[in-house]
Amino acid sequence: MRPVSHLSRDRTAYLRLAKLDIFDYYLSPLLAWALLAPALRLDPQILVVLLVFLLGEVLVMVTMVALDDLTGYRDGSDLANYAPDDRRRRLARKPLVAGTLTEQQVLRFAWITGVLGAVLWIAATVIAPNTPLWTVLLVAVTFVFAVQYSWGVKLSYRGFQEFFLAALGWSVVLVPYGLTAGRFEGFALVQALVFGLGPLLFGVYSNTNDIEGDRQVGRPTVAVLTSHRGNALFVGAVSAAETALILLAPFVGGPWWFPLAMLPAIVLRMRQWRTGFVHGDILRARKLGVHVHRLTVLLLVVLDLVVIR
């Protein structure tokens, strides 16, 4: 029988592997809920569907990050990016690099969470009051692509990383919204697109910090493929696209004052870019990006509760 201290250490390592503290994608069902008509927001069936979808989403994301860590450990990129002398990166967040989990343990964990996540997403679809074909197809594609992000086909190693990070965010808003509302609207689409750009706009700063490690293993992120100036222009363009979507909202069903209400997020996004590419503090800019995304979601939820009445 294993000592209790070892079991406790394993549980902690698995929690770090799952990276549950980065919960930004998991805010998607909350946004989908806020987009619903008031009569649906407290419907027991709707709430159960959103909860089951959220639990499945957590497990699918955990599978994705576990397999990403396994691939990053095997190809050496995590060893380079999380070197012991890099004080600004927390080595314990990578249990394989830290030696607190084995490859076999991580792979087994990924299989278990992946299967459970798929079961819960299927269950959410079965019990949903609406099942438009596009939502069924989208949830299936999302699951397959999430598993293949750094495993199997390895989408993130084939030049699709940035698009995937955004598309994943779009999907996890549109699917629960489609399963509960049963329709597809312009204002909801714009908000889903804005939501998806949030994780991308701290992911690209991580990529900027990880250029050397990614280049060594042939992971073709935009930061690797372009110059510093080219990467800065790309990140600036994505930031501008987020602002453009916010400005578009009044033309697709949102209130005229929507861009004004979102102004704090727009200003902070500009500050994030300056922090990273003018002042050169990439990791601080990444951290700011996490906060900007969470603020953006909060603003969207509050605005939806005010507007959709």
Side-chain angles (χ1 to χ4, degrees):
M1 187 172 180
R2 297 178 64 188
V4 174
S5 60
H6 286 182
L7 292 174
S8 176
R9 191 184 309 157
D10 277 359
R11 291 193 192 100
T12 301
Y14 282 119
L15 287 174
R16 288 172 174 164
L17 177 68
K19 297 174 180 58
L20 296 178
D21 58 319
I22 304 297
F23 56 83
D24 301 272
Y25 279 114
Y26 307 148
L27 299 173
S28 60
L30 175 62
L31 179 56
W33 172 81
L35 284 164
L36 295 173
L40 297 177
R41 289 175 184 152
L42 296 180
D43 183 294
Q45 183 182 11
I46 296 293
L47 294 176
V48 170
V49 170
L50 292 175
L51 177 60
V52 173
F53 180 85
L54 172 60
L55 293 175
E57 179 182 351
V58 172
L59 289 169
V60 171
M61 297 291 185
V62 166
T63 301
M64 185 179 78
V65 298
L67 292 176
D68 186 58
D69 274 16
L70 181 56
T71 299
Y73 176 73
R74 287 178 172 177
D75 66 22
S77 59
D78 280 352
L79 289 169
N81 295 330
Y82 286 78
D85 61 345
D86 190 344
R87 297 178 180 178
R88 301 192 65 179
R89 307 299 291 271
R90 288 181 291 172
L91 185 63
R93 289 182 59 81
K94 296 288 185 178
L96 284 166
V97 178
T100 52
L101 287 177
T102 66
E103 294 184 39
Q104 189 175 33
Q105 286 176 310
V106 171
L107 187 58
R108 181 169 60 245
F109 179 72
W111 272 104
I112 292 171
T113 54
V115 170
L116 291 176
V119 169
L120 287 172
W121 271 2
I122 292 171
T125 304
V126 170
I127 65 177
N130 302 286
T131 52
L133 180 60
W134 64 268
T135 60
V136 176
L137 294 175
L138 187 57
V139 74
V141 168
T142 301
F143 176 80
V144 172
F145 281 13
V147 175
Q148 299 292 318
Y149 175 69
S150 294
W151 190 259
V153 175
K154 296 185 180 179
L155 294 171
S156 65
Y157 285 73
R158 300 183 184 278
F160 293 99
Q161 189 197 67
E162 289 83 4
F163 175 77
F164 177 87
L165 292 176
L168 184 59
W170 304 336
S171 176
V172 294
V173 173
L174 291 174
V175 168
Y177 180 69
L179 291 175
T180 51
R183 60 181 183 270
F184 190 86
E185 295 180 345
F187 191 39
L189 175 61
V190 164
Q191 292 190 52
L193 294 176
V194 170
F195 181 93
L197 291 181
L200 173 60
L201 281 168
F202 55 79
V204 288
Y205 288 88
S206 291
N207 290 347
T208 301
N209 187 77
D210 295 346
I211 288 175
E212 291 307 317
D214 288 341
R215 181 177 288 130
Q216 288 175 17
V217 300
R219 196 171 196 175
T221 64
V222 171
V224 168
L225 296 174
T226 63
S227 62
H228 176 78
R229 176 178 172 80
N231 185 44
L233 289 174
F234 170 73
V235 176
V238 176
S239 302
E242 182 185 59
T243 299
L245 286 168
I246 292 172
L247 296 176
L248 177 66
F251 299 96
V252 291
W256 65 267
W257 45 264
F258 182 82
L260 295 176
M262 296 297 295
L263 193 58
I266 295 173
V267 171
L268 285 175
R269 189 64 78 192
M270 294 170 61
R271 179 183 171 189
Q272 179 192 14
W273 187 88
R274 286 182 56 84
T275 299
F277 293 101
V278 176
H279 301 299
D281 196 339
I282 293 297
L283 289 179
R284 185 181 171 199
R286 181 197 181 278
K287 185 176 181 180
L288 179 58
V290 173
H291 296 313
V292 175
H293 174 66
R294 294 172 185 175
L295 173 64
T296 298
V297 175
L298 176 62
L299 290 173
L300 290 175
V301 168
V302 172
L303 291 172
D304 286 338
L305 294 178
V306 171
V307 172
I308 305 174
R309 305 180 66 177

